[in-house]
Amino acid sequence: MKRTVLLYLMIAGLIVSSCKSPGNKENEELVSLEGRTMGTELNVQYIDSLKRDFSKEVDSVLIEVNNSMSTYIPNSLISIFNKMDTAGTLEVDRHFYQVLLIAKEIHRESHGAFNPALYPLIHYWGFSGGTAPDEIDSSKVDSLLKICNFDLIHGTMAISGEGDTSYYVTKDDGRAQLDFGAIAKGYGVDAVHDLLRSRGIASLMVDIGGEVRCSGVYTDGKAWRIGIEDPIKSTVNSKKAMQVIALENKAIATSGNYRNFRIINGQKMVHTINPASGYPELNSLLSVSIVTEDCTHADAYATSCMVLGLEGARELISKNPDIEGMLIYGIEEGELEYWSSPGFKEITLKD
Ligand code: ADP
Ligand code: MG
């Protein structure tokens, strides 16, 4: 889904605009970069008295991440890995390895609900570049499900005598394939965030398609304010915020099923696949927003919760002291209810 989270304090610009001056001295130091990446919108804002233009560096780090993990790029590392049709090992980069490690951690914590080895099924259902079938073939779903086993894929790291680090990913079965669609956007946000921090920027906000990470504070000295989209009232062209939160040195990611789906035989098939059944998971949850330290984790937890459903998601969020969340769910046709964890309530600005 695109732009699940709205920027409450959005300042429109060009690909790189030396910021518009809203007539306020503090805002004169705000730089805004806009563009597209990972099939969605990119928006970066930062405060820099020198108003430096980091657009080229932002671009190149995102190109690196895409060349590593985009299944839409035929010669990306993930595509090469997916095309290996026998068991074997591929040398990958640091981005791939880090995402694989975090994916393993969240796969365990979500009891398998988060499973990036679902690529064959995700493709079957018409997502990540696949074409949806006209008719559902349940024996095909069952046979694909058997190879969507994340335990068949392992990451390793080696340090040479000179201190150089190499990263590898291995598949035990040639049919095992990866899809980082539920985690790579969050990682892209973290990569841009870390780049800007390393350039001495203390206050910044990075948003890729609604996955957001903030550091420091906005020009008014207050936390960055982020709006969470209302899944019913919002449209692609007219966003309505359901809640606004104050985000300080944290990330937020939102997953939802209300925009990205296919219709097969009159049935709504959403882009969240349940690894237990192999089928798209449609439950009462319309959207899940997760707040945590970094956006890679937030992104993957949000998808995990969509798979787990209302009760499972509430349990996952409540058990882990490092994550806070808000769940929006439908009770009756057109009627919404929401649940927020106590820490999420603390940062919510308006109901
Ligand atoms: P969005 O793209 O709106 O941020 P998500 O972060 O929830 O949405 O990612 C959805 C994508 O994740 C799907 O399009 C698919 O590529 C992948 N995916 C679907 N089901 C799962 C799952 N159970 N575990 C991991 N990845 C999944
Ligand atoms: Mg996501």
Side-chain angles (χ1 to χ4, degrees), residues 43 50 123 192 294:
N43 182 276
L50 302 172
H123 210 250
V192 174
D294 67 75

Side-chain angles (χ1 to χ4, degrees), residues 1-4 71-72 112-119 122 127-128 179-183 185 208-209 211 253-257 260 270-275 299-300 302-304 306-307:
M1 177 196 351
K2 312 249 169 342
R3 301 208 49 80
T4 313
T71 51
Y72 293 92
F114 181 77
N115 181 359
L118 279 177
Y119 182 76
I122 290 167
F127 303 101
S128 284
D179 181 324
F180 286 144
I183 189 167
K185 249 191 285 167
I208 299 181
E211 322 296 32
T254 300
S255 283
N257 273 333
N260 194 356
V270 296
H271 73 152
T272 311
I273 312 298
N274 189 330
D299 198 4
T303 302
S304 309
M306 286 304 294
V307 176

